[in-house]
mmCIF file of all heavy atoms in Angstrom:
data_model
loop_
_atom_site.group_PDB
_atom_site.id
_atom_site.type_symbol
_atom_site.label_atom_id
_atom_site.label_comp_id
_atom_site.label_asym_id
_atom_site.label_seq_id
_atom_site.Cartn_x
_atom_site.Cartn_y
_atom_site.Cartn_z
ATOM 1 N N SER J 20 85.192 105.706 92.441
ATOM 2 C CA SER J 20 85.825 106.719 93.286
ATOM 3 C C SER J 20 85.581 108.111 92.711
ATOM 4 O O SER J 20 85.470 108.287 91.498
ATOM 5 C CB SER J 20 87.332 106.490 93.357
ATOM 6 O OG SER J 20 87.612 105.205 93.846
ATOM 7 N N GLY J 27 101.409 108.377 90.893
ATOM 8 C CA GLY J 27 102.771 108.527 90.397
ATOM 9 C C GLY J 27 103.678 107.383 90.812
ATOM 10 O O GLY J 27 104.881 107.446 90.615
ATOM 11 N N PHE J 28 103.081 106.338 91.419
ATOM 12 C CA PHE J 28 103.810 105.128 91.821
ATOM 13 C C PHE J 28 104.938 105.427 92.814
ATOM 14 O O PHE J 28 105.969 104.772 92.806
ATOM 15 C CB PHE J 28 104.331 104.374 90.600
ATOM 16 C CG PHE J 28 103.252 104.097 89.590
ATOM 17 C CD1 PHE J 28 103.176 104.811 88.404
ATOM 18 C CD2 PHE J 28 102.272 103.156 89.847
ATOM 19 C CE1 PHE J 28 102.170 104.578 87.485
ATOM 20 C CE2 PHE J 28 101.248 102.912 88.942
ATOM 21 C CZ PHE J 28 101.200 103.629 87.749
ATOM 22 N N VAL J 29 104.712 106.425 93.682
ATOM 23 C CA VAL J 29 105.727 106.774 94.679
ATOM 24 C C VAL J 29 105.657 105.860 95.900
ATOM 25 O O VAL J 29 106.658 105.691 96.592
ATOM 26 C CB VAL J 29 105.618 108.256 95.113
ATOM 27 C CG1 VAL J 29 105.938 109.164 93.950
ATOM 28 C CG2 VAL J 29 104.251 108.563 95.681
ATOM 29 N N PRO J 35 99.247 99.819 93.499
ATOM 30 C CA PRO J 35 98.767 100.743 94.531
ATOM 31 C C PRO J 35 97.397 100.314 95.064
ATOM 32 O O PRO J 35 96.705 99.499 94.447
ATOM 33 C CB PRO J 35 98.665 102.080 93.782
ATOM 34 C CG PRO J 35 99.551 101.926 92.585
ATOM 35 C CD PRO J 35 99.495 100.482 92.223
ATOM 36 N N SER J 53 108.991 100.494 89.373
ATOM 37 C CA SER J 53 110.392 100.894 89.362
ATOM 38 C C SER J 53 110.573 101.972 90.418
ATOM 39 O O SER J 53 109.829 102.950 90.450
ATOM 40 C CB SER J 53 110.798 101.463 87.997
ATOM 41 O OG SER J 53 112.104 102.023 88.090
ATOM 42 N N ALA J 54 111.554 101.784 91.278
ATOM 43 C CA ALA J 54 111.842 102.767 92.313
ATOM 44 C C ALA J 54 112.907 103.767 91.871
ATOM 45 O O ALA J 54 113.248 104.675 92.621
ATOM 46 C CB ALA J 54 112.296 102.059 93.583
ATOM 47 N N THR J 73 111.888 88.068 78.169
ATOM 48 C CA THR J 73 111.074 86.856 78.095
ATOM 49 C C THR J 73 110.275 86.835 76.807
ATOM 50 O O THR J 73 109.606 87.812 76.471
ATOM 51 C CB THR J 73 110.108 86.776 79.300
ATOM 52 O OG1 THR J 73 110.853 86.955 80.494
ATOM 53 C CG2 THR J 73 109.404 85.450 79.341
ATOM 54 N N SER J 76 105.498 86.843 73.227
ATOM 55 C CA SER J 76 104.860 87.560 72.141
ATOM 56 C C SER J 76 103.355 87.320 72.109
ATOM 57 O O SER J 76 102.887 86.186 72.162
ATOM 58 C CB SER J 76 105.485 87.133 70.805
ATOM 59 O OG SER J 76 105.019 87.964 69.781
ATOM 60 N N ALA J 86 87.861 101.893 89.789
ATOM 61 C CA ALA J 86 86.731 102.462 89.061
ATOM 62 C C ALA J 86 86.547 103.917 89.478
ATOM 63 O O ALA J 86 86.783 104.287 90.624
ATOM 64 C CB ALA J 86 85.472 101.657 89.350
ATOM 65 N N THR J 96 89.011 113.643 81.430
ATOM 66 C CA THR J 96 90.245 113.384 80.699
ATOM 67 C C THR J 96 91.141 112.460 81.512
ATOM 68 O O THR J 96 91.211 112.570 82.734
ATOM 69 C CB THR J 96 91.006 114.700 80.432
ATOM 70 O OG1 THR J 96 90.158 115.595 79.721
ATOM 71 C CG2 THR J 96 92.264 114.459 79.609
ATOM 72 N N MET J 97 91.822 111.559 80.812
ATOM 73 C CA MET J 97 92.859 110.734 81.424
ATOM 74 C C MET J 97 94.177 111.123 80.788
ATOM 75 O O MET J 97 94.280 111.221 79.562
ATOM 76 C CB MET J 97 92.599 109.252 81.187
ATOM 77 C CG MET J 97 93.702 108.343 81.696
ATOM 78 S SD MET J 97 93.333 106.609 81.329
ATOM 79 C CE MET J 97 94.825 105.831 81.911
ATOM 80 N N GLU J 124 81.718 94.072 81.343
ATOM 81 C CA GLU J 124 81.127 93.158 80.347
ATOM 82 C C GLU J 124 81.725 93.415 78.970
ATOM 83 O O GLU J 124 82.034 92.489 78.237
ATOM 84 C CB GLU J 124 79.610 93.312 80.316
ATOM 85 C CG GLU J 124 78.910 92.750 81.527
ATOM 86 C CD GLU J 124 79.000 91.246 81.616
ATOM 87 O OE1 GLU J 124 78.844 90.560 80.574
ATOM 88 O OE2 GLU J 124 79.251 90.732 82.719
ATOM 89 N N THR J 127 85.826 99.332 75.550
ATOM 90 C CA THR J 127 86.082 100.123 74.355
ATOM 91 C C THR J 127 87.541 100.560 74.390
ATOM 92 O O THR J 127 88.012 101.095 75.405
ATOM 93 C CB THR J 127 85.182 101.381 74.322
ATOM 94 O OG1 THR J 127 83.817 100.959 74.342
ATOM 95 C CG2 THR J 127 85.440 102.216 73.085
ATOM 96 N N ALA J 135 106.526 102.814 65.933
ATOM 97 C CA ALA J 135 107.075 104.170 65.939
ATOM 98 C C ALA J 135 106.132 105.149 66.629
ATOM 99 O O ALA J 135 106.575 106.123 67.237
ATOM 100 C CB ALA J 135 107.357 104.620 64.504
ATOM 101 N N THR J 139 109.276 106.694 72.238
ATOM 102 C CA THR J 139 109.696 108.028 72.669
ATOM 103 C C THR J 139 111.202 108.207 72.473
ATOM 104 O O THR J 139 111.707 109.311 72.643
ATOM 105 C CB THR J 139 109.354 108.270 74.153
ATOM 106 O OG1 THR J 139 110.054 107.313 74.954
ATOM 107 C CG2 THR J 139 107.861 108.168 74.392
ATOM 108 N N SER J 167 78.184 106.250 86.779
ATOM 109 C CA SER J 167 78.688 106.309 88.153
ATOM 110 C C SER J 167 79.817 105.332 88.418
ATOM 111 O O SER J 167 80.485 105.417 89.447
ATOM 112 C CB SER J 167 77.548 106.050 89.140
ATOM 113 O OG SER J 167 77.012 104.758 88.932
ATOM 114 N N GLY J 178 105.401 92.125 72.119
ATOM 115 C CA GLY J 178 105.912 91.722 70.818
ATOM 116 C C GLY J 178 107.302 91.136 70.977
ATOM 117 O O GLY J 178 108.037 91.030 70.020
#
Side-chain angles (χ1 to χ4, degrees):
S20 302
F28 307 106
V29 294
S53 171
T73 309
S76 189
T96 303
M97 175 182 176
E124 288 292 318
T127 301
T139 61
S167 61

